[in-house]
Amino acid sequence: MELEFKEMKFDGFIPGLQSNQVDIASSILIREERKEVVDFTDIFLESGLVLAVANDSSIQSFEDLKGKTIVATQGSTTYEEAKKLAEQYGGQAKPLKETDALYLDVENGNADALVLNSPTVDYRLAVDGDNVKFRIVGEHMTVDEHAFAVKKGNKELADKINDGLKKVQENGEYDKIHEKWFGK
């Protein structure tokens, strides 16, 4: 299958599928409300949302979020979880549009913590290597399943993707890709 990649903000993924601007949306968490408007392929990654802070942060646990600002991606499940944390522990949730902006907001002291899915944070930690500026606090807050999304009713494309996923999982290529981008 030949692909043309199109960069979009996360909150445009589902509308992009529905309006035929894109055929596939990558790595979307499976949610019941999303199943009503798009179809998902087989699950290719299980993860969870994590709380990350700057290395020098005084935040050691969720209880330390009192009075703190937590940033997350606008229009995503990460922001919903940030709002829950803020409400439960007496902090404030702040939405931002770009993942890089989340890290910058924490780095610059405009926010105290960020909520993202673990593969995104794992990738950042792997890329930063010895210059890592962040750490994860606590355990995964959720258990999430990632899949590709296609326009509702596009079974032919979903089946084609599923066939490809099965092949790379069986031949070991999936494990190589996962280790390259997220570590073991």
Side-chain angles (χ1 to χ4, degrees):
M1 175 181 331
E2 284 189 38
L3 298 176
E4 176 186 332
F5 292 93
K6 186 173 187 178
E7 194 170 320
M8 299 178 84
K9 292 184 182 0
F10 179 80
D11 56 4
F13 282 15
I14 291 175
L17 288 168
Q18 293 172 320
S19 64
N20 296 316
Q21 292 177 24
V22 295
D23 299 304
I24 305 166
S26 66
S27 193
I28 294 185
L29 300 182
I30 298 173
R31 297 285 186 257
E32 289 306 314
E33 64 274 11
R34 292 177 181 164
K35 286 181 180 179
E36 294 175 14
V37 294
V38 297
D39 288 334
F40 287 98
T41 62
D42 293 339
I43 297 162
F44 67 83
L45 179 67
E46 291 185 357
S47 69
L49 299 181
V50 294
L51 182 76
V53 298
N55 280 338
D56 61 356
S57 172
S58 63
I59 299 171
Q60 299 297 320
S61 68
F62 296 144
E63 288 78 15
D64 296 331
L65 293 172
K66 184 176 176 102
K68 305 294 187 193
T69 300
I70 308 161
V71 291
T73 310
Q74 180 178 323
S76 76
T77 55
T78 63
Y79 183 57
E80 295 306 313
E81 194 65 29
K83 289 192 298 188
K84 288 179 195 173
L85 284 174
E87 184 177 316
Q88 183 174 356
Y89 296 105
Q92 173 188 349
K94 178 174 127 181
L96 295 174
K97 290 187 177 191
E98 304 287 335
T99 299
D100 288 341
L102 304 178
Y103 289 108
L104 285 173
D105 227 40
V106 173
E107 264 185 74
N108 296 332
N110 296 322
D112 301 291
L114 61 87
V115 174
L116 273 173
N117 63 58
S118 57
T120 303
V121 176
D122 292 343
Y123 172 76
R124 176 67 183 249
L125 298 177
V127 168
D128 286 353
D130 293 339
N131 298 317
V132 67
K133 298 176 184 176
F134 296 90
R135 61 184 166 80
I136 295 173
V137 174
E139 300 295 321
H140 286 187
M141 297 177 284
T142 61
V143 175
D144 295 314
E145 298 172 321
H146 296 251
F148 295 101
V150 298
K151 187 173 182 172
K152 192 83 172 154
N154 195 344
K155 183 175 173 10
E156 181 181 335
L157 182 56
D159 288 347
K160 195 172 197 177
I161 294 167
N162 287 336
D163 289 344
L165 283 172
K166 185 176 180 182
K167 285 177 187 169
V168 297
Q169 288 167 336
E170 288 174 351
N171 70 18
E173 193 64 27
Y174 175 89
D175 293 332
K176 291 176 189 173
I177 293 167
H178 187 277
E179 186 172 338
K180 176 183 178 182
W181 294 102
F182 308 118
K184 292 194 177 203

